[in-house]
Amino acid sequence: MRILAFAAVLFTAATSYAQAQVPVRIAFIDPLSGPAAAVTENALNHLRVMGERLSGKDARYEITGFDNKLNAQEAIIQAQKAIDAGIRIFIAGNSSAAAGALNEFVAKHNERNPQQAVLFLNISAIDPALTNDKCSPAHFRFDAHADMKMLALVKFIATQPQIKRVYLINQDYSFGQAVRAAALAMLKQHRPDIEVVGDELHPLAKINDFSPYVAKIKASNADSVITGNWGNDLALLLKSAADANLQTGWYTYYASGIGSPTAVRQTGLAHRVFAVIEGHSNMQMSDGLDADYRARYGGSFNVPRARLLMDMLHDAVVKAKSAEPKALAAALSGASRATMYGGTATMRASDHQVLQDLYVTSFGPLEGSMKFDEEKTGWGWKTAGVVKAAETALPTSCRMAAF
C-alpha cells in the first residue's frame, strides 16, 4: 500500500508539472538567407540558447526561423505562415523597413482577429517611429532606438575636443535616414562647432565595393565618421577603409555585430572604432553565459538584448501563467528586471520602449582586465563611456491604445 501511495504522489507531482509547464511557440521572422543571414542566424542562436536555458517547470520554449529575405512584403507572408501554424509570438528586427511592415500587419490582424491576437517582440529594429507615432499595444522593443543610441554617441563625442570634421554615411531606408537626422540634430545641439563635411545615403545591402565612398570620405578630410551601417554594409565599408588606409575615427551602432570585429581589426585603428551597445564580454557579468556560448558557437554572446528579451518574456509567462498574447502584453508593460551586467532594464508602459544603460565601447588589443577577444582577432571591447538608462529616456509621441 505504501508503494502504491508513493507512486500516486509521484504521478500527481508529474501531472502538476506537466500542467504548469506553458508551451511558448515563437516565430523568428528575419533574413535567414542573403547578405544579412550571418547577423540574423547569430541572433537566432542567441534566442535558442536562452530558450533552452529558460525551459523548465514553468515554460517550454520552441523557436522556429522564418526567412523574410530582408523584404517587407516577405515578412508579412512569413508572418501569415506562422499564424497558420498556430504561432502567436513573433520576434523580428532586421530591418526597420520589414519590422515596420510587420508592425502594421500585426495591428491589422489583431483588430480583425481579436481572439487570435499575436505579439511582436522587436529585438533590433530601431526606427524611432515604432515607439512614437507608429506605436502599438502588441509591439515591444528590446533595443534602444536610433535617437537614443545617437544621443549616447554624441554625448561621448562632445567630450572629445579633437573631433572637428565629421562625415555621415548611412543605409538609405527608414533606419539609416533616422540615424542621419538624429546625427545632424544632436551634433548641432551638443557640438555646434563640429563641421559635417559629408552626408551620404547608399542602397541597403547592395554595395559590394565601398571604395568610391571611402574615397569621398578621404577627400573630405574628415577626422571622424558616424554610421548606422550593419552587417555586410559595415564590414565591407571598414574593409575598404582599411585598404585605403583611411585614418579616421569611427562612431558606429553595430561594429560589435558578427563579422564587423574582423573588419575593424583590419583597419589597424586600435581603440578608434567605437560602438554603442548594451554590454560586452569584458564587463563583469552575472553568470557564465558568455563563456558557455563561446564554447558552443566559437563567438561571443554579442547580442545581450536577446537575453533581456527572453528573460522578460519568461517573467511575463510565469506571471500570466500563459503564453496568450494579451496576457503577456499586460505583464510586459511597465515590467523591470536586472540585466546581465548588473543594471536594470524597464519596459516603459507609455510606448513599450525598453530603457537600459548604454555603453560606448572601443575596440583594440587586449590589455589590463580585458580577457576576451572577438572573432579570434586578439582584439576586444572595453568601455569608454556610459549613459545611464534614465538619461536615454527621450520623450515619446506614442498614444498607446488598449490591446
Side-chain angles (χ1 to χ4, degrees):
M1 290 296 292
R2 286 183 179 180
I3 293 174
L4 290 174
F6 182 65
V9 169
L10 288 178
F11 177 78
T12 302
T15 303
S16 298
Y17 176 88
Q19 289 174 343
Q21 191 183 52
V22 178
V24 186
R25 299 179 64 203
I26 299 169
F28 179 75
I29 306 174
D30 255 4
L32 298 173
S33 61
V39 173
T40 48
E41 285 281 6
N42 181 56
L44 180 55
N45 289 339
H46 280 61
L47 293 167
R48 282 177 168 161
V49 165
M50 286 305 304
E52 291 170 8
R53 287 170 68 103
L54 293 169
S55 290
K57 68 182 181 64
D58 296 309
R60 182 182 70 257
Y61 294 89
E62 176 188 322
I63 304 173
T64 304
F66 289 78
D67 184 9
N68 72 9
K69 301 179 177 63
L70 200 61
N71 179 276
Q73 187 58 40
E74 189 65 30
I76 294 172
I77 292 170
Q78 296 304 315
Q80 188 60 59
K81 286 183 179 179
I83 290 171
D84 292 343
I87 300 175
R88 298 290 180 263
I89 301 172
F90 300 161
I91 297 177
N94 293 298
S95 66
S96 286
L102 185 60
N103 191 44
E104 291 183 15
F105 169 82
V106 167
K108 290 178 182 177
H109 169 85
N110 288 351
E111 183 178 351
R112 296 167 182 165
N113 305 278
Q115 301 308 312
Q116 294 183 318
V118 297
L119 190 68
F120 176 16
L121 308 180
N122 178 352
I123 190 172
S124 55
I126 62 174
D127 181 351
L130 290 169
T131 47
N132 280 289
D133 293 349
K134 296 182 180 179
C135 68
S136 163
H139 169 268
F140 293 81
R141 176 156 46 199
F142 293 83
D143 196 1
H145 67 57
D147 290 355
M148 298 161 74
K149 292 192 176 191
M150 185 57 69
L151 179 64
L153 281 177
V154 170
K155 282 195 169 189
F156 179 77
I157 288 171
T159 68
Q160 308 298 306
Q162 76 279 8
I163 299 177
K164 300 292 185 184
R165 296 169 60 84
V166 167
Y167 199 103
L168 309 180
I169 180 166
N170 290 288
Q171 297 150 318
D172 192 8
Y173 75 114
S174 58
F175 161 62
Q177 292 159 11
V179 172
R180 171 188 178 272
L184 290 171
M186 292 183 188
L187 284 172
K188 185 176 181 180
Q189 178 183 358
H190 295 279
R191 278 293 304 274
D193 60 304
I194 288 179
E195 181 182 1
V196 177
V197 296
D199 182 5
E200 192 90 44
L201 291 170
H202 65 80
L204 171 66
K206 296 186 183 299
I207 307 297
N208 294 318
D209 179 10
F210 277 89
S211 57
Y213 295 94
V214 169
K216 289 183 184 181
I217 298 171
K218 205 166 187 178
S220 74
N221 292 317
D223 56 55
S224 302
V225 177
I226 295 177
T227 181
N229 279 22
W230 56 273
N232 267 7
D233 281 345
L234 180 59
L236 293 175
L237 174 60
L238 290 169
K239 181 181 182 300
S240 292
D243 292 343
N245 193 31
L246 178 62
Q247 297 294 303
T248 61
W250 292 80
Y251 296 86
T252 80
Y253 283 38
Y254 294 117
S256 64
I258 190 167
S260 294
T262 298
V264 174
R265 177 66 181 87
Q266 292 172 344
T267 69
L269 298 175
H271 294 299
R272 291 184 62 194
V273 176
F274 297 85
V276 56
I277 51 182
E278 314 99 70
H280 57 85
S281 298
N282 289 313
M283 294 172 62
Q284 184 67 39
M285 286 181 280
S286 56
D287 61 21
L289 175 60
D290 188 90
D292 293 346
Y293 190 86
R294 284 173 182 269
R296 182 167 175 177
Y297 289 102
S300 67
F301 195 89
N302 63 353
V303 191
R305 58 189 172 274
R307 177 174 189 163
L308 178 64
L309 184 156
M310 291 298 294
D311 278 343
M312 293 188 82
L313 173 61
H314 184 67
D315 290 348
V317 169
V318 172
K319 181 178 180 179
K321 297 183 174 60
S322 168
E324 194 277 320
K326 291 184 180 180
L328 292 179
L332 281 168
S333 185
S336 293
R337 77 121 52 224
T339 72
M340 62 193 292
Y341 305 106
T344 299
T346 301
M347 182 58 69
R348 188 164 62 179
S350 60
D351 58 352
H352 296 173
Q353 169 63 58
V354 79
L355 304 177
Q356 61 183 314
D357 297 344
L358 295 177
Y359 300 89
V360 177
T361 58
S362 66
F363 196 64
L366 297 184
E367 59 187 29
S369 62
M370 297 168 64
K371 294 181 180 180
F372 296 106
D373 76 341
E374 299 289 333
E375 300 178 357
K376 298 180 173 61
T377 61
W379 284 22
W381 293 101
K382 74 174 183 179
T383 301
V386 60
V387 178
K388 303 302 287 183
E391 296 180 69
T392 72
L394 294 174
T396 178
S397 60
C398 173
R399 294 186 177 183
M400 187 62 70
F403 199 155

